[in-house]
Amino acid sequence: MSKPRSLSLAAYRVLSWGVPNAATLSYPKRPEGEVIWAHISTQDRQRAVTDFCRRLQQVRPNLNVLLTTPPGADLSRWDQSEFPLVDLPLEQTGAARAFLDHWRPDIGLWVGGGLMPNVITRADERGIPLILIEAQIDINIARGARWLPDITRFTLDCFQSILATTPETVRTIRRLGIASSKVSEAPPLHVSPNPKPWPEDELIEITHALAGRPVWLSACVLDTEFISVLTAHRQALRILPRLTLVLHVADVAEAEPLHRRLENMDLRCTNWDTGGQIEDTTQVILSSEQEDLGLWHRVSPVTFMGRSLERGAGGHDPLVGVALGSSVIHGPFVHRHQQIYDQLDQAGATRVVRTATELGDAVVELLSPDRAADMALAGWRIVSEGAPQADKLVDMVQDCLDQRSAK
């Protein structure tokens, strides 16, 4: 049964009337099939929401994902996304209607605050199930309509489920008149990577070729970091003579020139990308394919995350490596993933280095089985803590979509 019409909402729509301009309508084409619309209220939540959507697609492969940001957000400052990423239109009645006409989402997931009454209430009237997570009492009301009563309550009541991260927020939402059964406390979404499985036969073959030698990986290394990584490797070789480095370069074009450079440095090297074989005397394995990192993380108990020794590089995402059981070393320049690195550093799951000498020392220390195991366990606790909440939300979305398709 539909909710009774609010006089405040009717007045609000009149006061916020507006039609979309041409720029607002320049959306990508809507994909065929089911679409989940996930709105991200702040940029720092993009990674967690994207990770959740990937997890959801694993159990519902034909589901399409649309990500939206607040109106006017500078998308060039947001991370590149594998899913369509667009700004929501301004809080205008006509713009909200045009957005929903174009995308026709089958379900909406709103993350955080900045709630927009026009698009949310219009979606609810169309029978689109809506879920609010990491809820905040934060409504983005059109100018000139802030005096209207009940808009906050009516907007929140459009959501089938509301998950707040604190008991205080839960109580506040219930005091607004929202049914207690709709509102509950739940932790925020955490990034919880779920790496793709690797063919068992290839993994066995690589393990056999390495023949029990100690191995470390340098992942997504920039050309300006080559000399530091190779210097660290030479240093570590003095203590671990059979040590093998998997050198994964960030730029595919750098692999072959680096191969020639390594030969001139008297380092015995093989290029994995061109079918090179790992021999008993191999000291460096060159690789550049991004998807092969899943293999190298599995066979390397220690990983140095590249893009982190040079100022401005921004760092490389460590979570897949941590999820696959590798201890992590990184440089100081990881601002693109600062929050994740801070969590891992505080848990004792990573080691920060600033020079090639420190990197070489860290590699030798962390290849000690006990030390590597302690760090890997600390990292696993971080990457797995958000899995129960993500799984619960996946089930909630699945139930909503199944009920909608049944109708």
Side-chain angles (χ1 to χ4, degrees):
M1 186 172 63
S2 61
K3 292 189 286 292
R5 193 66 176 272
S6 164
L7 292 176
S8 290
L9 178 61
Y12 178 80
R13 287 180 175 170
V14 171
L15 290 169
S16 63
W17 175 256
V19 294
N21 57 32
T24 304
L25 291 174
S26 59
Y27 297 127
K29 182 181 178 181
R30 184 199 189 277
E32 296 295 325
E34 291 181 323
V35 171
I36 178 172
W37 156 42
H39 179 74
I40 312 168
S41 60
T42 57
Q43 186 178 352
D44 64 331
R45 305 307 295 138
Q46 182 184 2
R47 175 65 198 281
V49 175
T50 302
D51 180 77
F52 167 76
C53 291
R54 289 195 201 103
R55 181 180 288 265
L56 184 58
Q57 282 188 324
Q58 289 178 349
V59 297
R60 206 174 186 98
N62 296 323
L63 180 66
N64 300 286
V65 176
L66 166 68
L67 304 179
T68 61
T69 64
D74 182 357
L75 296 182
S76 67
R77 295 180 175 273
W78 290 58
D79 292 339
Q80 289 188 345
S81 175
E82 65 204 81
F83 306 122
L85 179 69
V86 301
D87 288 344
L88 273 184
L90 296 172
E91 179 62 356
Q92 298 170 329
T93 301
R97 195 162 52 200
F99 170 82
L100 295 169
D101 285 344
H102 179 84
W103 290 107
R104 305 188 310 280
D106 294 276
I107 188 169
L109 180 69
W110 195 286
V111 185
L115 302 177
M116 298 176 65
N118 273 322
V119 71
I120 290 171
T121 57
R122 291 281 183 188
D124 178 54
E125 288 171 0
R126 295 176 185 219
I128 300 169
L130 300 171
I131 299 171
L132 174 60
I133 68 171
E134 302 177 18
Q136 301 174 25
I137 315 301
D138 175 24
I139 310 292
N140 185 8
I141 295 176
R143 187 177 301 174
R146 291 181 174 85
W147 58 272
L148 289 170
D150 296 334
I151 291 298
T152 297
R153 180 191 62 78
F154 202 84
T155 302
L156 286 167
D157 205 28
C158 291
F159 292 96
Q160 291 189 4
S161 298
I162 299 174
L163 307 178
T165 58
T166 67
E168 292 77 17
T169 305
V170 170
R171 287 194 293 270
T172 301
I173 293 174
R174 287 172 175 167
R175 281 199 295 267
L176 287 172
I178 308 301
S180 295
S181 58
K182 279 189 177 186
V183 191
S184 59
E185 184 181 352
L189 277 180
H190 289 276
V191 179
S192 183
N194 193 5
K196 295 179 181 178
W198 199 267
E200 191 68 25
D201 56 345
E202 187 171 349
L203 193 56
I204 292 171
E205 182 181 346
I206 291 291
T207 303
H208 179 73
L210 290 169
R213 280 174 282 173
V215 182
W216 71 293
L217 164 66
S218 286
C220 289
V221 178
L222 299 173
D223 57 349
T224 52
E225 296 173 315
F226 290 162
I227 190 64
S228 295
V229 170
L230 294 173
T231 300
H233 186 52
R234 281 191 179 280
Q235 175 184 326
L237 277 169
R238 299 190 192 108
I239 300 172
L240 301 170
R242 300 187 70 238
L243 179 64
T244 301
L245 164 65
V246 179
L247 181 48
H248 179 275
V249 299
D251 184 352
V252 175
E254 293 287 347
E256 194 53 42
L258 181 58
H259 192 182
R260 294 192 294 270
R261 183 175 170 185
L262 288 168
E263 289 175 340
N264 292 333
M265 294 173 65
D266 292 328
L267 281 169
R268 293 181 290 278
C269 175
T270 186
N271 190 335
W272 180 259
D273 297 341
T274 58
Q277 297 298 308
I278 301 173
E279 299 176 352
D280 190 56
T281 57
T282 300
Q283 294 173 309
V284 180
I285 302 168
L286 267 182
S287 175
S288 61
E289 296 293 335
Q290 185 69 23
E291 64 181 21
D292 285 343
L293 280 175
L295 169 64
W296 303 128
H297 282 307
R298 284 175 166 87
V299 300
S300 306
V302 174
T303 297
F304 165 69
M305 295 295 173
R307 301 181 184 271
S308 63
L309 283 176
E310 296 294 319
R311 188 179 298 276
H316 175 67
D317 181 1
L319 286 180
V320 171
V322 173
L324 291 173
S326 199
S327 302
V328 169
I329 306 170
H330 65 91
F333 306 111
V334 292
H335 62 270
R336 289 189 61 199
H337 307 278
Q338 193 67 57
Q339 185 178 18
I340 295 168
Y341 276 103
D342 287 346
Q343 280 184 283
L344 292 169
D345 290 343
Q346 290 169 11
T350 58
R351 173 83 170 267
V352 184
V353 298
R354 290 170 176 78
T355 66
T357 300
E358 290 182 5
L359 177 56
D361 290 341
V363 168
V364 173
E365 178 188 342
L366 298 186
L367 281 171
S368 166
D370 292 345
R371 187 76 174 92
D374 289 344
M375 288 184 67
L377 180 59
W380 174 249
R381 287 173 178 154
I382 293 293
V383 299
S384 63
E385 68 177 346
Q389 169 63 4
D391 290 342
K392 179 181 177 182
L393 190 57
V394 165
D395 291 342
M396 192 181 297
V397 170
Q398 286 263 75
D399 289 344
C400 288
L401 288 171
D402 290 343
Q403 292 170 15
R404 182 175 172 81
S405 61
K407 292 179 181 178

